[in-house]
Amino acid sequence: MLVGTLNNRKEALNTLNIDNIRAEFPILDQDINGKKLVYFDNAATTQKPQVVIDAISNYYTGYNSNIHRGVHHLAEKATSAFELSRKTIKEFINAESTEEIIFTYGTTDGINLVAQTYGRSFLKAGDEIIISTMEHHSNIVPWQMLCEEKGCVLKVIPINDEGDILFDEYKKLLSEKTKIVSVVYASNALGTVNPIAEIIEEAHKVGAVTLVDAAQAMSHIDIDVQALDIDFLCFSAHKLYGPTGMGALYGKKELLNKMPPWRGGGEMIKEVTFEKTTYNELPYKFEAGTPNIADVIGITAAIDYVNKLGKKNIADYENELLEYATERFEAISGLKIIGRAKVKVSVLSFVIDGIHPQDIGVLLDQQGIAIRTGHHCTQPLMQRLDLVGTSRASFAVYNTKGEIDRMVEGIEKAKRFLL
Amino acid sequence: MTIKEIQEEIIEDFELFDDWEGKYEYIIDLGKSLPKMSDEFKTEDNVIKGCQSLVWLNAYTEGDKVYFQADSEAIIVKGLVSMLLKVLSGHKADEILNADLYFIEKVGLAGHLAQTRSNGLASMVKQMKMYALAYTSQELKI
């Protein structure tokens, strides 16, 4: 429970009442394989507090209705709640206007939207797109598809062994040919937090537009799209204690206005004749078909929840967990932490000498501990690091040091089995 | 022994364990004792799709029997694969094709079979049956 604003990490622990927070996540109160669940797969998806579950449930039980065009009470109520989410997101990331918030199916969908509208309309053969080595597949493949179609060139910012991007190398890649710089804010596989302000500043110097994949960053880092001068930003609600299958794309209004619509039908239309269709205004121009209304409504509850706790308080507490886990994991013989970037979110990837990450994951699961193993949809990054994959623990605000202790014991036990 | 008899034997073995630790120790031991597959068979063609860890499967025939070799990077998967080899390798193609692999559920490893994205055991079984089918077709042609 939040009491006031905090300035340092140590105070944070005393301020957030983790027991109370845990009680708000009903899924955590269960046994898996006979043991109390420890959920450390938060980078894949976070669990949902009761307020989010209730918001979705209340829509279906109380005012399920299609939005925007209905004249009856339920339709008006649903439309208001739906549009409130747009306003909530606008305020959460400090966008200038709600017209700049497009609802999507998630981060991947947002990136594809930009590639398929802005990219297809404004890029030509020989133009260059820059991404980084640590991108998720969803911030690689849409650009590869665009490059294949348009004859553009994809360039990749290299990283060092710690997992930090090589900024000087990035600057060398930039030229007047660079049209888009699309980078992840926080790496899902390594936890690296990229110097996004500086990356954007350099991109703008050569006239490139920027896209920020904020999937992992949204629940950990305060994001002000105006202060950062971000052109496009995508995120998914489900990594922010919200529902799956829903997210948003932020885009500067002048850019979104220039871009053609992508999918046709529904709310994106102003008028249709068999001869010609005119398109709706922002943001509806990009929202074809009946949207995922319940889950869009759920995002308001999720953001309200995060705001109630305070994003800084959450980040401070998660950093405390990350530091504690790092310290404890370092003491495990044969364990090597992958990702030693200067600034990280609460993601702890590791490998253990002589053990495949999947084996660790299976044996921890037997002990009720859920982690992620594998390449984390970052195969090029794994190739760069010469790894088949890693085991990854990622922490959220409801996790505890006691759970980290259990994982350490679990790893030691797994090692005894496997070595 | 028939495929059914081998499965019954494995189920009996697993009945000795009353917790997951015994089961997994057994599986890991099986994985460790599975002979290493020669690198010449670790080709792209022999990789089983759908596995989070790499799994290779090779098949050959001797007389009217189909034999399998397999390997994996992950020791638990290797142990599971070892059980599949024990059950299916060295039987006639039509026996493999018609085999009902109920032991996986009986020994409490059904989760591994279902998790096609992560473990690919189902893909492994499918591939073994595909090999058997291919040999059956060859026999028919002859």
Side-chain angles (χ1 to χ4, degrees):
Chain A
M1 205 175 293
L2 174 65
V3 183
T5 308
L6 299 165
N7 292 320
N8 71 57
R9 199 165 19 83
K10 289 212 167 105
E11 281 176 283
L13 260 183
N14 298 327
T15 307
L16 292 175
N17 185 326
I18 305 305
D19 285 342
N20 286 355
I21 290 172
R22 287 181 67 82
E24 290 169 326
F25 290 81
I27 201 168
L28 298 177
D29 186 24
Q30 65 174 302
D31 290 350
I32 301 289
N33 293 319
K35 301 275 168 56
K36 184 97 178 151
L37 167 67
V38 172
Y39 185 79
F40 281 162
D41 196 14
N42 297 290
T45 196
T46 52
Q47 299 302 345
K48 320 306 170 199
Q50 189 64 50
V51 284
V52 170
I53 299 164
D54 287 346
I56 295 164
S57 173
N58 290 344
Y59 163 74
Y60 284 123
T61 53
Y63 58 105
N64 172 48
S65 185
N66 212 330
I67 53 168
H68 290 139
R69 296 179 190 212
V71 293
H72 53 85
H73 176 79
L74 294 187
E76 278 186 21
K77 192 170 175 185
T79 303
S80 297
F82 183 87
E83 290 302 330
L84 176 63
S85 277
R86 206 185 301 276
K87 186 167 172 279
T88 306
I89 293 169
K90 177 229 160 213
E91 283 164 8
F92 195 58
I93 61 172
N94 192 32
E96 200 179 326
S97 148
T98 50
E99 293 170 302
E100 297 178 317
I101 309 299
I102 315 293
F103 290 123
T104 63
Y105 301 126
T107 308
T108 307
D109 191 40
I111 297 169
N112 276 280
L113 193 158
V114 176
Q116 292 298 312
T117 56
Y118 184 89
R120 280 172 104 181
S121 302
F122 300 113
L123 268 64
K124 58 182 188 314
D127 284 344
E128 294 175 358
I129 299 161
I130 295 178
I131 58 173
S132 84
T133 305
M134 69 185 84
E135 298 309 320
H136 190 278
H137 294 164
S138 57
N139 198 23
I140 301 173
V141 180
W143 304 116
Q144 286 176 329
M145 291 163 73
L146 181 67
C147 287
E148 203 166 308
E149 185 185 327
K150 305 288 290 188
C152 303
V153 179
L154 191 64
K155 297 209 159 177
V156 183
I157 309 167
I159 59 167
N160 61 22
D161 292 342
E162 280 69 46
D164 280 310
I165 65 158
L166 299 174
F167 203 80
D168 288 339
E169 296 302 314
Y170 165 57
K171 286 204 278 188
K172 285 182 204 163
L173 294 177
L174 290 162
S175 74
E176 74 276 4
K177 287 184 185 171
T178 312
K179 300 301 173 201
I180 295 174
V181 174
S182 185
V183 287
V184 69
Y185 201 149
S187 159
N188 71 313
L190 304 177
T192 306
V193 175
N194 282 317
I196 215 74
E198 291 84 353
I199 289 172
I200 291 166
E201 193 183 346
E202 292 300 323
H204 285 166
K205 282 182 190 167
V206 297
V209 301
T210 54
L211 185 149
V212 175
D213 170 352
Q216 293 298 331
M218 282 302 275
S219 68
H220 308 284
I221 301 167
D222 253 328
I223 298 176
D224 181 330
V225 291
Q226 292 189 75
L228 290 166
D229 200 15
I230 292 171
D231 297 303
F232 296 108
L233 175 134
C234 311
F235 74 94
S236 303
H238 73 98
K239 294 184 201 283
L240 185 67
Y241 308 103
T244 54
M246 190 265 143
L249 164 70
Y250 157 82
K252 281 181 181 165
K253 197 170 161 186
E254 69 263 30
L255 292 172
L256 293 173
N257 268 327
K258 282 199 291 186
M259 289 152 54
W262 182 22
R263 300 183 178 101
E267 196 57 31
M268 57 80 70
I269 288 152
K270 188 177 273 177
E271 192 177 2
V272 179
T273 67
F274 281 119
E275 288 70 40
K276 186 175 167 57
T277 294
T278 52
Y279 303 118
N280 208 339
E281 305 297 323
L282 286 175
Y284 310 112
K285 183 170 86 170
F286 295 107
E287 292 177 359
T290 299
N292 184 353
I293 303 165
D295 290 325
V296 166
I297 290 168
I299 190 71
T300 295
I303 290 177
D304 285 350
Y305 183 77
V306 168
N307 284 336
K308 185 187 83 170
L309 297 183
K311 213 188 230 188
K312 184 179 182 320
N313 299 325
I314 294 173
D316 286 345
Y317 177 64
E318 288 171 345
N319 283 339
E320 177 102 10
L321 291 178
L322 180 67
E323 274 182 32
Y324 180 73
T326 303
E327 223 169 87
R328 293 235 46 204
F329 281 36
E330 274 171 342
I332 298 173
S333 72
L335 186 148
K336 184 184 173 199
I337 291 169
I338 305 297
R340 294 285 199 168
K342 291 183 194 81
V343 189
K344 284 176 69 172
V345 289
S346 53
V347 167
L348 192 55
S349 254
F350 62 92
V351 292
I352 299 176
D353 290 343
I355 299 178
H356 192 278
Q358 190 180 351
D359 290 327
I360 287 288
V362 170
L363 292 183
L364 286 178
D365 178 54
Q366 289 302 316
Q367 300 171 72
I369 302 164
I371 63 157
R372 181 55 56 102
T373 64
H375 53 61
H376 314 297
C377 296
T378 57
Q379 282 180 301
L381 173 64
M382 293 299 134
Q383 286 154 15
R384 159 64 181 83
L385 299 170
D386 198 22
L387 296 169
V388 294
T390 70
S391 300
R392 181 189 73 188
S394 48
F395 311 117
V397 68
Y398 40 68
N399 292 130
T400 66
K401 286 185 181 177
E403 290 180 316
I404 291 167
D405 292 339
R406 264 190 62 196
M407 181 160 168
V408 171
E409 285 165 27
I411 292 171
E412 293 287 10
K413 189 167 200 169
K415 274 178 62 188
R416 287 196 294 276
F417 274 60
L418 294 162
L419 291 176
Chain B
M1 281 171 91
T2 65
I3 287 175
K4 191 172 182 300
E5 285 166 344
I6 301 168
Q7 292 192 80
E8 290 298 329
E9 200 175 81
I10 292 174
I11 292 164
E12 267 178 43
D13 283 350
F14 269 84
E15 277 167 0
L16 297 172
F17 312 117
D18 48 14
D19 59 13
W20 70 271
E21 297 184 17
K23 281 184 192 176
Y24 275 88
E25 255 171 337
Y26 176 81
I27 294 166
I28 290 164
D29 282 346
L30 283 177
K32 285 178 179 168
S33 56
L34 186 71
K36 202 171 152 38
M37 193 184 206
S38 164
D39 283 347
E40 66 176 301
F41 297 120
K42 290 185 176 176
T43 60
E44 190 60 37
D45 285 349
N46 282 343
V47 170
I48 302 295
K49 305 285 185 258
C51 295
Q52 196 188 52
S53 52
L54 277 177
V55 178
W56 298 270
L57 175 69
N58 183 48
Y60 60 94
T61 52
E62 272 179 24
D64 60 353
K65 307 254 174 79
V66 183
Y67 292 85
F68 298 102
Q69 298 169 302
D71 207 344
S72 172
E73 300 170 306
I75 201 75
I76 293 172
V77 173
K78 210 167 153 176
L80 296 168
V81 162
S82 168
M83 284 196 283
L84 285 179
L85 297 190
K86 199 170 169 184
V87 172
L88 291 180
S89 191
H91 297 279
K92 290 180 180 173
D94 61 335
E95 289 169 350
I96 295 167
L97 260 177
N98 298 321
D100 169 22
L101 296 178
Y102 59 88
F103 82 99
I104 294 168
E105 191 162 349
K106 285 259 183 179
V107 300
L109 296 170
H112 288 284
L113 186 66
Q115 291 169 38
T116 47
R117 266 190 85 185
S118 57
N119 294 300
L121 207 56
S123 308
M124 183 85 180
V125 173
K126 191 175 161 196
Q127 189 59 40
M128 290 167 107
K129 292 203 171 196
M130 290 293 280
Y131 274 126
L133 182 65
Y135 289 120
T136 309
S137 311
Q138 276 176 9
E139 281 168 21
L140 287 174
K141 274 180 202 164
I142 296 162

